[in-house]
Amino acid sequence: MIRFSPLKFLLYCIFAFIMVANVSYAQELSALGLPALTTATGANGETTYSLSLQILLLMTALTVLPSLVLGMTAFTRIIIVLSILRQALGTQQTPPNQVLIAIALFLSFYIMSPIFEVLYVETLTPYLDGNLSTEMAMNQGLSVLKEFMVSNTRVDTINMFADLSGSGPFNDKQSIPISIVLPAFITSELKTAFEIGFLIFLPFLVIDMVIASILMSLGMMMLSPMLISLPFKLLLFVLVDGWSMTVGSLSATFLVE
């Protein structure tokens, strides 16, 4: 029996709509005397597109690139943990959002560098040399990313989405459809990020409680405990080399095969 996946059907419909719209638009422009946007069908039935049309399709595909960076890499877990760390320190907007995003982005590139190297050597280079077709290159690159996502996704989360879609059981990682891997990965990343954030928050919470108790025992109820505890939290964080510990621990939580 053929199983129906609404997400996969929606993605196929959107992709087909974009392709048909772009091709139809290119054919109209070609009929108006703009040969830069043309399509041609070869003797073997393959459709080739002009360079301008390929650039148009590439720019269309780049619109989903931010979502891919957020949902298919280590970026989500890192940015959430760093945001919780800033809140635990009580430094308001220090470091600013731009700095946190830059740290999360560069750290994501560091963690994903083995994956990107495999994609470059085994997928991008053969595709640029003409040894791989577009469809094969996309499937091969997607399989590499899928293996990374499944390795860092909780089994119970995958099973939950598989039960919701009526899929499974699966023989291996590659047999899991991408429509299940994507939501399972991002949900698992959220849970893991909040668990790490909870562990980071505890020592700073203890400092706040100690400072608040001391101020109450001294009768200084009008003095804000957060104002007094901030220098002590910053001192503790600097003494234990908190940034290196946080970044190193985050990098070690990812499984890169």
Side-chain angles (χ1 to χ4, degrees), residues 211-225:
I211 295 298
S213 300
I214 294 175
L215 292 178
M216 290 185 63
S217 64
L218 295 176
M220 300 180 180
M221 298 182 181
M222 300 301 294
L223 188 59
S224 174

Side-chain angles (χ1 to χ4, degrees), residues 116-133:
F116 293 153
E117 184 177 358
V118 173
L119 290 175
Y120 177 79
V121 174
E122 298 183 0
T123 302
L124 182 59
T125 301
Y127 172 71
L128 296 177
D129 294 339
N131 299 325
L132 276 181
S133 62

Side-chain angles (χ1 to χ4, degrees), residues 66 69-71 73-87 95-108 111 186 189-190 192-194 196-197 200 243 246-247 250-251 253-254:
V69 173
L70 293 176
T73 63
F75 183 85
T76 301
R77 184 188 305 185
I78 297 171
I79 191 63
I80 291 177
V81 171
L82 293 180
S83 300
I84 294 177
L85 173 61
R86 182 177 65 180
Q87 186 176 0
N97 293 330
Q98 294 85 348
V99 175
L100 290 185
I101 293 176
I103 295 174
L105 189 60
F106 294 147
L107 189 57
S108 299
I111 295 172
I186 196 68
E189 287 292 282
L190 290 174
T192 304
F194 276 93
I196 299 175
I200 293 177
W243 286 112
T246 303
V247 171
L250 273 175
S251 302
T253 57
F254 289 95

